[in-house]
Amino acid sequence: MTQGRKEADKGREIAFRTGRILAGLFVLAIWISASTTGMLPGPAEVLAYLLSMKLEDIVPQVLKTLYNSITGFSLSFLASMVLGLLSHKLSLVKGFSEALSEIFNSTSALVWSLVLVATLGVLSPLPPILVVAAVTLPHVLTATVSALSSADPGLLEAVRSVGAKPSDEFFEVILPSSVPLLASASRVGLGTALRISVVAEAFGSSGGVGYMIIRSYNLADASGVLAWSIVLIALVLGLDQLVLKPLERRAKRWLE
Amino acid sequence: MARVMLDVSSVYKSFSEPVLVDISLHLNGGEVLGVVGPNGCGKTTLLRIMAGLEFPDRGSVRREGKVGIVFQEDRLLPWKTLWENVALGLKYHGMRGEELTKRIREYSSMVGLTDSDLSLHPRKASGGTRRKAALVRALVLEPEILLLDEPFTGLDVKARASLREALKWIWDEYGLSTVIVSHQLEELLPLADRVYVLTPKPARVAEEIDLRGMDLERRLERVKEALLHILSRAGSD
Ligand SMILES: Nc1ncnc2c1ncn2[C@@H]1O[C@H](COP(=O)(O)OP(=O)(O)OP(=O)(O)O)[C@@H](O)[C@H]1O
Ligand SMILES: [Mg+2]
C-alpha cells in the first residue's frame, strides 16, 4: 500500500521534471523555427556571439541592472513599510495607500519611463530606479499591509499579558510574524524589478542590460539583442532559483 | 476567613450572542479553584475577563494582586527560544543581566526545566516542556493570582504527572491563589479545593461545590453528577 503510493509519488515526480524539461525544449523549438525565416539568428549563432563577449563587458552591465532593480525595490519596500505601518493606525493613510496603489497599478512601465526620462534627462541614473520603485509599489504595498496584519492575535495577547507596550508588540510580534509574507512578496517584487528595470534602461543612456539590448537593436545587431536578452533571462532565473527561492523557503519555516 | 483575591460580580459578556450571563464567583487567598463546564461554554472568555485581557459588558471584576495567565495554546513566540520567551515579561519590566538569569533559573528549576530545555525553540521542545515554559513565563513575574486555561490538554500521561508535581511545588512554596479551567476532571479534581460548574453556552454558574474533605472518588462522583444534571436540563430545553 505505502509501497504503491511511494511508486506513484515517484512517477509523478519524474513526469513533473519531464514537463519542466519539455518547456525548455518547447521555447528552443519556437526559436529555431522562427530563425528559419532568416529574420532572427538561431541558437548556434547567438551562442557563438555570447562566447565571444568579454566578461568585463557583461559584468558591469549586469551589476548596473542589479543595482537599479535592488535600489528601486528597496525604495518601494521602505515606502510600503512606512505606509503599511501608518495604515494600521490612520484611516487617512489607509485610504491614501489604497488609492495610490490603484493609480500606480494602472500606470504602465512605459509611461513611467517616458515621463521620468523626459523629466530627468537621458543621462540621469535615476529613471530606472524610480520606475522600478513605482511599478513594484502596488504589489509590495498590498502585501505589506496584509503581512503586517497577519500576526496571531493569541500571540499578541500573550505578550500583552506579560506587559508588552505597543512598540514591543510591533517589533517582537507583528514584524517577525510578517517575515514569511514579506519574503514571498520580495521574491515576486525583485523578479518584477529586474524585468522592469531593463525597460527603463532602454530609454536612457546610463547603461544596464536594457540599454545594451536597445543599443544592439539600434545597430541592427540581432545576435546582440538576443545574446543580451539571454543574459537578462539567466539573471532573472538565477537570482530567483539560487537566491530568492531558498530565502523564501527559509522564511516560511520561521513561524513553525 | 481568607481574603478574597479575585471577585467576579454579575459579569455579563456577549460577542455576537451571549457567552457569559450573570457570573459571580470568587477566589480566596491560597486556594485552588476549579472551573468546569461543557466545551465552548465560555470558560476561556471568563478567564480572559479575570485577567483583564477582555472587559465585561456588565458587572465587575476586582483583583487583589497581580495576575499571571497560562493560555490553552502555549502561545510562545516560535522565532524565540523558550528562554527568550520566558524572559520577555521581565525585559518589559526593565530587568536585565544577573538578576534576570537568577529569576528565570529559580522558577524554571521549580517546574523541572533545565537551561538546556530552555535553549530550545518551541517547535523542537516537547508539549510538556512548552507548557511548563508558558507557566514559567507567567511565574517569573511573581503574580499573586495564577490563571490556568486547560493546563493538561494535549499532554501525555507522563507530562501531565510532571506538570501536576510542578504545580504542587509552586502551591507549597508560594501558596499562590489559582484558578484552573479544565474539562479533565481526573486531573483537576485531585488538585482543586472548590469548583464552579458552568452551564452550556451561555455560561451561568450552575453550582458551587466545596471539595475539601472528600476523597477523589467522591469528588469525581459529585462533579459528574452536577454536569449530568445541567446537561440533561439543557437537553430538555
Ligand atoms: N473574541 C471573540 N469574538 C467573538 N466570539 C468569541 C470570542 N471569543 C470567544 N468567542 C465565542 O464565545 C464562545 C465561548 O468561547 P470560549 O473560548 O470562551 O469557550 P471555552 O469554554 O473556553 O471553549 P473550549 O472548551 O473550546 O475551550 C464561543 O462560541 C466562541 O466562538
Ligand atoms: Mg477554552
Side-chain angles (χ1 to χ4, degrees):
Chain A
M1 173 75 190
T2 38
Q3 191 65 30
R5 177 167 309 165
K6 247 182 219 160
E7 297 274 295
D9 278 352
K10 215 168 157 192
R12 222 169 292 139
E13 176 70 22
I14 291 171
F16 180 76
R17 283 180 187 277
T18 313
R20 289 180 64 96
I21 294 167
L22 282 176
L25 294 175
F26 175 68
V27 172
L28 204 62
I30 292 184
W31 183 5
I32 291 170
S33 58
S35 68
T36 55
T37 61
M39 305 298 285
L40 207 65
E45 217 171 311
V46 174
L47 186 65
Y49 188 101
L50 269 173
L51 293 175
S52 76
M53 283 161 81
K54 285 203 253 1
L55 213 53
E56 58 262 43
D57 290 336
I58 301 177
V59 172
Q61 308 302 341
V62 165
L63 287 180
K64 179 87 193 174
T65 296
L66 272 176
Y67 170 79
N68 287 340
S69 330
I70 292 172
T71 312
F73 174 77
S74 305
L75 274 180
S76 85
F77 191 86
L78 279 178
S80 299
M81 285 306 277
V82 173
L83 288 174
L85 184 56
L86 293 176
S87 309
H88 223 54
K89 304 259 176 235
L90 306 170
S91 299
L92 180 93
V93 180
K94 192 169 179 164
F96 177 84
S97 314
E98 207 177 280
L100 195 70
S101 281
E102 283 161 13
I103 297 169
F104 277 36
N105 213 5
S106 324
T107 312
S108 152
L110 176 68
V111 175
W112 284 119
S113 304
L114 289 173
V115 169
L116 285 165
V117 169
T119 317
L120 298 168
V122 284
L123 288 174
S124 168
L126 288 177
I129 294 172
L130 295 178
V131 173
V132 166
V135 173
T136 53
L137 186 75
H139 173 76
V140 178
L141 183 56
T142 313
T144 308
V145 169
S146 64
L148 289 178
S149 53
S150 70
D152 174 359
L155 289 182
L156 286 168
E157 189 174 73
V159 297
R160 219 174 292 138
S161 79
V162 292
K165 294 185 293 293
S167 64
D168 297 322
E169 283 178 35
F170 179 74
F171 287 108
E172 300 220 73
V173 183
I174 295 177
L175 207 55
S177 298
S178 65
V179 164
L181 284 176
L182 289 181
S184 294
S186 299
R187 182 179 166 202
V188 178
L190 272 169
T192 311
L194 275 173
R195 283 175 288 123
I196 294 305
S197 175
V198 294
V199 175
E201 286 160 12
F203 287 92
S205 321
S206 62
V209 177
Y211 174 71
M212 296 313 286
I213 291 174
I214 209 74
R215 201 183 71 152
S216 307
Y217 180 83
N218 289 337
L219 295 172
D221 174 8
S223 295
V225 170
L226 289 182
W228 280 105
S229 302
I230 284 172
V231 169
L232 174 64
I233 293 169
L235 184 61
V236 175
L237 273 178
L239 189 74
D240 188 61
Q241 296 294 316
L242 302 178
V243 183
L244 300 175
K245 205 168 161 185
L247 281 179
E248 186 192 18
R249 203 173 297 145
R250 264 185 76 164
K252 284 255 161 73
R253 282 208 304 267
W254 175 248
L255 289 187
E256 277 168 17
Chain B
M1 201 58 204
R3 129 174 127 115
V4 173
M5 297 300 294
L6 184 73
D7 190 43
V8 174
S9 167
S10 311
V11 158
Y12 176 92
K13 179 74 188 178
S14 159
F15 290 110
S16 46
E17 50 182 343
V19 174
L20 303 175
V21 175
D22 196 26
I23 302 268
S24 292
L25 50 80
H26 65 277
L27 168 70
N28 294 315
E31 190 181 40
V32 177
L33 183 68
V35 175
V36 303
N39 280 339
C41 75
K43 302 180 295 292
T44 298
T45 306
L46 176 59
L47 218 57
R48 292 175 62 235
I49 287 176
M50 287 177 176
L53 294 167
E54 184 78 67
F55 299 95
D57 300 336
R58 289 201 291 276
S60 65
V61 178
R62 193 167 52 83
R63 283 173 283 268
E64 295 291 331
K66 227 181 342 174
V67 173
I69 182 166
V70 179
F71 300 94
Q72 197 165 350
E73 327 78 14
D74 307 307
R75 301 197 187 174
L76 299 161
L77 302 182
W79 49 86
K80 288 190 183 285
T81 63
L82 296 180
W83 178 281
E84 290 164 337
N85 268 285
V86 165
L88 277 182
L90 295 173
K91 288 201 174 135
Y92 298 151
H93 288 84
M95 196 184 277
R96 298 274 184 283
E98 271 297 288
E99 198 189 358
L100 179 134
T101 309
K102 231 184 96 203
R103 178 76 72 89
I104 293 178
R105 291 225 173 100
E106 177 188 346
Y107 286 93
S108 52
S109 66
M110 190 171 316
V111 304
L113 289 183
T114 63
D115 280 12
S116 87
D117 291 329
L118 289 177
S119 71
L120 298 173
H121 278 82
R123 89 182 98 85
K124 294 269 174 67
S126 70
T129 301
R130 283 203 299 269
R131 190 63 48 85
K132 284 179 175 176
L135 178 59
V136 174
R137 177 174 66 184
L139 289 177
V140 290
L141 296 172
E142 308 198 317
E144 281 104 22
I145 302 164
L146 182 64
L147 307 176
L148 305 175
D149 195 358
E150 303 282 2
F152 301 104
T153 343
L155 302 186
D156 62 26
V157 181
K158 233 178 95 192
R160 289 204 297 268
S162 167
L163 181 62
R164 231 172 19 230
E165 288 313 306
L167 287 172
K168 282 186 184 149
W169 250 111
I170 292 158
W171 291 323
D172 286 347
E173 199 86 350
Y174 298 98
L176 193 54
S177 315
T178 306
V179 179
I180 306 182
V181 163
S182 177
H183 60 257
Q184 284 171 303
L185 299 181
E186 284 78 3
E187 300 293 339
L188 173 69
L189 296 185
L191 303 175
D193 297 313
R194 262 188 323 132
V195 289
Y196 287 95
V197 180
L198 304 181
T199 62
K201 192 167 80 170
R204 301 165 197 270
V205 176
E207 204 170 335
E208 176 197 342
I209 305 170
D210 197 326
L211 299 170
R212 278 167 285 214
M214 298 183 194
D215 63 11
L216 180 56
E217 210 170 320
R218 177 76 191 111
R219 289 177 175 207
L220 276 167
E221 196 180 26
R222 185 71 185 74
V223 173
K224 279 182 177 161
E225 192 183 271
L227 281 169
L228 270 176
H229 185 65
I230 58 158
L231 286 174
S232 66
R233 227 175 19 193
S236 67
D237 274 356

